[in-house]
Amino acid sequence: MRQSLKNAKRLVIKVGTSSLIHPNGTINLSAVDELAFVLTDLKNQGKEVILVSSGAIGVGMHQLNLAKRPTSIPEQQAVAAVGQAALMNIYAQRFMSYSQQTAQILLTRDVIEYPESRKNVINTLEQLLDMGIIPIINENDTVAIDELDHSTKFGDNDQLSAIVSQLIQSEVLIMLSDIDGFYSANPTTNPSATLYSQIHEINDELMAQGTGPGSAFGTGGMSSKLKAAKRIFSFDSSMVLANGKRPKIIFDILNGDDIGTFFKKEEN
Ligand code: ADP
């Protein structure tokens, strides 16, 4: 089934904060650079690529020299606003070194509930893709606070990336996380957990295996990824959850290699 990935033309790539920020809080420049290289090359091959990137608060904390994430929502929003600009600056620079133009899109998840907004978002994304530009999307943290955790965790974009995939009818959503894929239990606490190569149905048993706290930097953990997969199934698309340590892994995923966890509804 993974062979269908070879022909995927429209892709959404989602990177979590843990793929972009080192554990000590500084920016993982090699990851950002590799991402720019890989996505530009895919676009040059004739694919249409959209990046959904977290990391605004992480970069903002670094910019403002904050050792600890602030606790209040307005402070987090302020840090995210600083970080979003800095993050885009880094992306724009790195992509430009491969002569690739990027664009920033900030969205709230409710765009799909308002036909007019929905149409405008689709039009903008379609136009950017048509112009060969790589859109870089993040949740608009100033407007939407549901992704900002009230206490210790970083914002994430699992649902937003699935919504974007649905809006532009992408053939695959590649989610890069800090883990190799979806396991039968949390592998960081359960060493006997085994990796699923493929998942064809999101049922309660699976949901139970994905509950529990996420990584230090993430928000959603696995239940949020499974929820995203459910949306992906709803329009018969596919999703791959894989480790974002080496973004070049995207080439192998699109080659149909057995990497990470492949989510696709069983074909009749
Ligand atoms: P990211 O922010 O990189 O997208 P998250 O922190 O949201 O990632 O989720 C990844 C984390 O989820 C893993 O590091 C792991 O600790 C935790 N986890 C919980 N249950 C599972 C499971 N069944 N399979 C894989 N990871 C799991």
Side-chain angles (χ1 to χ4, degrees):
M1 274 179 102
R2 284 184 187 245
Q3 291 312 307
S4 62
L5 294 174
K6 276 192 174 160
N7 303 321
K9 175 143 197 282
R10 211 164 242 213
L11 332 162
V12 175
I13 315 287
K14 185 254 167 183
V15 281
T17 301
S18 53
S19 307
L20 300 168
I21 310 284
H22 288 301
N24 67 7
T26 60
I27 299 159
N28 186 340
L29 288 173
S30 57
V32 175
D33 192 46
E34 201 174 306
L35 206 53
F37 169 78
V38 173
L39 300 196
T40 301
D41 194 50
L42 290 172
K43 197 228 81 190
N44 290 348
Q45 290 171 27
K47 298 184 190 295
E48 295 172 316
V49 184
I50 289 186
L51 175 62
V52 176
S53 176
S54 302
I57 293 195
V59 174
M61 283 175 57
H62 179 62
Q63 291 287 114
L64 297 169
N65 248 324
L66 303 177
K68 233 176 85 227
R69 182 184 169 116
T71 47
S72 79
I73 297 284
E75 284 173 304
Q76 291 183 32
Q77 288 170 308
V79 174
V82 170
Q84 178 62 28
L87 180 61
M88 273 313 295
N89 204 1
I90 298 166
Y91 272 130
Q93 247 179 38
R94 299 286 150 166
F95 274 96
M96 258 308 154
S97 70
Y98 303 106
S99 304
Q100 176 60 49
Q101 186 68 53
T102 51
Q104 172 186 257
I105 305 260
L106 298 176
L107 289 181
T108 48
R109 278 184 261 160
D110 59 4
V111 284
I112 41 171
E113 284 154 35
Y114 302 96
E116 201 62 27
S117 321
R118 184 193 168 99
K119 196 172 104 235
N120 287 330
V121 173
I122 294 173
N123 287 347
T124 308
L125 289 173
E126 291 285 356
Q127 184 65 43
L128 287 167
L129 293 176
D130 206 45
M131 292 162 78
I133 295 167
I134 296 184
I136 302 180
I137 303 181
N138 190 14
E139 180 131 63
N140 186 342
D141 292 326
T142 303
V143 178
I145 58 162
D146 42 353
E147 284 274 340
L148 292 167
D149 191 279
H150 295 237
S151 51
T152 52
K153 291 171 175 173
F154 281 79
D156 215 320
N157 278 319
D158 293 338
Q159 304 318 311
L160 188 68
S161 62
I163 288 170
V164 167
S165 300
Q166 187 173 20
L167 287 175
I168 60 139
Q169 296 285 299
S170 79
E171 286 137 287
V172 59
L173 165 61
I174 299 179
M175 265 201 199
L176 298 179
S177 181
D178 66 344
I179 196 94
D180 290 344
F182 187 77
Y183 285 79
S184 55
N186 187 345
T188 53
T189 52
N190 189 334
S192 59
T194 52
L195 178 71
Y196 283 98
S197 162
Q198 306 198 6
I199 288 176
H200 304 298
E201 188 195 355
I202 313 294
N203 51 33
D204 293 345
E205 192 193 336
L206 217 56
M207 284 306 268
Q209 294 171 358
T211 49
S215 63
F217 288 105
T219 43
M222 284 301 127
S223 53
S224 152
K225 267 112 192 133
L226 294 179
K227 226 174 114 196
K230 252 188 181 164
R231 181 180 288 276
I232 293 294
F233 282 4
S234 76
F235 64 101
D236 279 333
S237 185
S238 61
M239 177 175 124
V240 177
L241 175 65
N243 201 316
K245 216 167 37 206
R246 272 192 51 244
K248 280 189 181 149
I249 203 174
I250 296 171
F251 289 133
D252 305 328
I253 292 170
L254 292 173
N255 190 40
D257 294 359
D258 189 7
I259 291 170
T261 305
F262 178 59
F263 295 82
K264 178 126 176 93
K265 243 184 3 199
E266 199 93 63
E267 275 153 21
N268 295 323

